[in-house]
Amino acid sequence: MLVPRAASEEPPQQARSTQSSNPQSLQLAVVFGLWYFHNVVFNIFNKKVLNFFPFPWLLASFQLFVGSLCMLFLWTFKIQNCPKITKPFVVALLGPALFHTIGHISACVSFSKVAVSFTHVIKSSEPVFSVVFSSLLGDTYPLQVWLSILPIMLGCSLAAITEVSFNMQGLWGALISNVGFVLRNIYSKRSLQSFKEVNGLNLYGWISILSLLYLFPVAVFVEGSQWVGGYYKAIEAVGNPITFYIWVMCSGVFYHLYNQASYQALDNISPLTFSVGNTMKRGWWNPVRPLNALGSGIAILGTFLYSQVASSKGGKKDGDACSR
């Protein structure tokens, strides 16, 4: 005689799936929290340094150098297993590393020219760039996705608009940064899919090293002749060299930590979801005023709508939820 399954009882396969997804969801939430926290701290120290030492090319190179040292330390002491380096692997990373370099230096230039809030307002359009470039590279998105990202951009813009300043170099730097980071995310995700034995942290480690090799020679050419004089002026303006060194070091360490967390998130999410998550951290720089609160609410609504669209695609993995 067959005994009917209780209504509240899950099928064994579904129960196992639920149990396995819960720890993964919790881990992803923790990674997102660290990503946001480290990014906030990075922006604070990055802007402090640039206020006294307006040489974004050198600072951006130093931040990549710190990240490269961190990864070499993890690999040397076996804290993180070093991936096997092959020619196809290095070739596959040349593109993402170049786009990362473009995105990083453009953002750093923008931060040196305008208020942090202005750069984040412009960069809140990143999901649109992600959808556009993903579509050009063969992915397709339903109309609901296009509509769901608009409130996110509008909300984050409203949340930061009370401190907007305008500068053409700052504007173009933020826009170019959007393009660079979106293309980096798309091609990094494809690299993760092509080299499944390499996790996000190791992928970012090698991207950091290659980006440093791209950026530093150009930095020397662009502003190298001004570094010594700029250094002495910065020390004189700050008053305490130790304080200045701490700011510079913190900008490098937290730059690596926030990118490390973001690439760990990219292990489990699509490039578009990555861009949406990246956008959601951009509106929280100002004191909470009615306009800021309205913008935050609209952004949260947009994120909810996007998550509903993504989850309605039949339970597919996030990387495939709204594409192909």
Side-chain angles (χ1 to χ4, degrees):
M1 178 178 178
L2 294 176
V3 179
R5 190 182 302 276
S8 60
E9 186 179 351
E10 292 181 308
Q13 184 176 0
Q14 182 179 350
R16 285 195 299 271
S17 176
T18 302
Q19 292 171 359
S20 63
S21 64
N22 286 339
Q24 186 178 17
S25 299
L26 178 60
Q27 181 182 11
L28 189 58
V30 171
V31 169
F32 262 75
L34 291 173
W35 176 14
Y36 284 22
F37 172 75
H38 293 150
N39 181 258
V40 169
V41 178
F42 159 71
N43 277 278
I44 292 171
F45 285 106
N46 191 56
K47 188 61 178 178
K48 279 180 175 289
V49 175
L50 289 171
N51 282 339
F52 293 95
F53 187 75
F55 298 101
W57 290 81
L58 177 58
L59 184 61
S61 298
F62 177 77
Q63 290 159 354
L64 292 171
F65 175 70
V66 170
S68 300
L69 287 183
C70 288
M71 292 309 304
L72 290 173
F73 175 84
L74 294 178
W75 291 329
T76 299
F77 292 95
K78 308 298 182 183
I79 301 173
Q80 175 78 15
N81 291 329
C82 182
K84 183 179 179 181
I85 306 304
T86 62
K87 183 178 179 180
F89 177 69
V90 173
V91 170
L93 291 191
L94 292 177
L98 177 61
F99 292 130
H100 180 73
T101 306
I102 294 171
H104 180 37
I105 184 55
S106 299
C108 211
V109 168
S110 181
F111 285 133
S112 72
K113 300 296 182 182
V114 296
V116 172
S117 58
F118 178 81
T119 300
H120 283 290
V121 165
I122 303 304
K123 287 177 69 63
S124 68
S125 61
E126 186 176 313
V128 170
F129 284 81
S130 182
V131 171
V132 170
F133 280 99
S134 294
S135 299
L136 291 175
L137 292 171
D139 292 345
T140 57
Y141 295 91
L143 178 62
Q144 298 96 308
V145 170
W146 290 88
L147 295 178
S148 69
I149 62 178
L150 294 179
I152 300 173
M153 295 186 302
L154 173 62
C156 288
S157 298
L158 285 175
I161 202 169
T162 54
E163 292 184 12
V164 165
S165 59
F166 182 79
N167 175 282
M168 282 303 296
Q169 285 182 286
L171 172 65
W172 280 107
L175 289 173
I176 294 171
S177 179
N178 274 350
V179 175
F181 281 138
V182 162
L183 291 173
R184 179 205 66 175
N185 299 340
I186 293 170
Y187 285 105
S188 292
K189 188 67 178 182
R190 294 184 179 187
S191 295
L192 282 171
Q193 293 168 345
S194 300
F195 300 91
K196 297 185 183 300
E197 71 280 5
V198 181
N199 62 20
L201 178 54
N202 281 332
L203 186 72
Y204 176 67
W206 281 105
I207 285 177
S208 289
I209 293 171
L210 292 173
S211 294
L212 177 61
L213 297 177
Y214 278 134
L215 183 60
F216 185 67
V218 183
V220 173
F221 175 78
V222 171
E223 58 183 26
S225 62
Q226 307 171 62
W227 289 342
V228 175
Y231 165 77
Y232 287 114
K233 287 182 180 178
I235 295 299
E236 182 180 357
V238 174
N240 186 343
I242 301 300
T243 300
F244 180 71
Y245 299 154
I246 291 174
W247 291 351
V248 173
M249 184 57 67
C250 285
S251 79
V253 170
F254 282 96
Y255 176 76
H256 172 74
L257 289 176
Y258 104 72
N259 276 285
Q260 172 182 314
S262 72
Y263 262 78
Q264 288 176 294
L266 191 60
D267 268 333
N268 301 301
I269 60 179
S270 69
L272 176 57
T273 301
F274 185 96
S275 293
V276 171
N278 210 19
T279 292
M280 283 300 298
K281 74 182 188 314
R282 301 195 184 284
W284 323 125
W285 290 95
N286 305 328
V288 178
R289 302 169 185 170
L291 189 59
N292 302 138
L294 174 63
S296 300
I298 294 173
I300 292 170
L301 174 62
T303 302
F304 172 76
L305 293 175
Y306 168 76
S307 67
Q308 293 301 301
V309 172
S311 64
S312 69
K313 307 304 289 184
K316 296 179 183 179
K317 288 184 178 180
D318 196 354
D320 299 325
C322 295
S323 61
R324 293 176 181 82

